[in-house]
Amino acid sequence: MDLTDPAQNPTNFRSIEKGSTFEVYQGTGRANRLDWTREGAFRTIIIGHAGGESAEVMIRRFEAMLRISPRITALYDVWDLTGYDSEFRIELTKWGMKNRASVLALHSVARSKLVNMGLSVANLAMGGIFTPHGKRADFDAIAKRLGLPLNPTMPAV
């Protein structure tokens, strides 16, 4: 997918802010923030609806991280995710299965039954690597321990 091509990016999902250890994307009905450390910790916060473009930016960041850290610990903060396109789940699961040896752990926090179901399907495909957290405090404690910022600002959706 080419995020600069309006025909392939109908939600206008685009980068709105970048720093040395974070990126923020926003589009119609969606926003995605990626934070990472040089030690291989990664967190994505997704609000609204996740599409293939969200998977694309996450996979691009995973690939960049593998060039500096052989193992990744990923945190999916999908507490405010309302739904997702099949492409989002399929592409991330496909990448995870292909790179399973490089994924140390996956943690998620979600409140939507639909999102939790999708995480369960991905977890089965990846051999049970996901640790789901029903309480935000438990998830945030892991993010803090890994050196990821707590409660970073997110754009409005």
Side-chain angles (χ1 to χ4, degrees), residues 127-144:
I129 190 171
F130 272 89
T131 301
H133 298 275
K135 296 180 181 176
R136 172 160 291 288
D138 296 341
F139 182 84
D140 287 347
I142 294 168
K144 183 177 180 179

Side-chain angles (χ1 to χ4, degrees), residues 80-94:
D80 291 317
L81 182 65
T82 56
Y84 57 88
D85 295 342
S86 295
E87 181 183 8
F88 173 77
R89 181 183 49 78
I90 290 167
E91 291 303 315
L92 285 173
T93 303
K94 188 173 16 173

Side-chain angles (χ1 to χ4, degrees), residues 12-81:
N12 300 313
F13 191 76
R14 60 184 167 55
S15 173
I16 61 167
E17 187 178 2
K18 287 187 179 190
S20 60
T21 59
F22 76 96
E23 299 172 339
V24 181
Y25 294 83
Q26 183 179 32
T28 306
R30 58 195 73 200
N32 192 345
R33 180 182 172 109
L34 298 89
D35 291 283
W36 60 89
T37 68
R38 297 193 64 68
E39 293 75 34
F42 168 86
R43 182 195 54 224
T44 185
I45 301 170
I46 306 173
I47 57 175
H49 188 88
E53 66 276 2
S54 290
E56 178 184 340
V57 299
M58 290 169 63
I59 289 169
R60 191 168 47 233
R61 175 51 46 199
F62 287 147
E63 294 290 336
M65 289 182 71
L66 287 179
R67 291 191 287 275
I68 60 171
S69 178
R71 303 283 305 260
I72 296 171
T73 298
L75 285 75
Y76 289 16
D77 182 340
V78 289
W79 190 257
D80 291 317
L81 182 65

Side-chain angles (χ1 to χ4, degrees), residues 114-154:
L114 173 71
V115 173
N116 276 312
M117 184 178 67
L119 288 167
S120 293
V121 170
N123 193 26
L124 284 172
M126 292 183 64
I129 190 171
F130 272 89
T131 301
H133 298 275
K135 296 180 181 176
R136 172 160 291 288
D138 296 341
F139 182 84
D140 287 347
I142 294 168
K144 183 177 180 179
R145 181 174 46 84
L146 293 171
L148 296 163
L150 295 181
N151 303 314
T153 57
M154 289 291 292

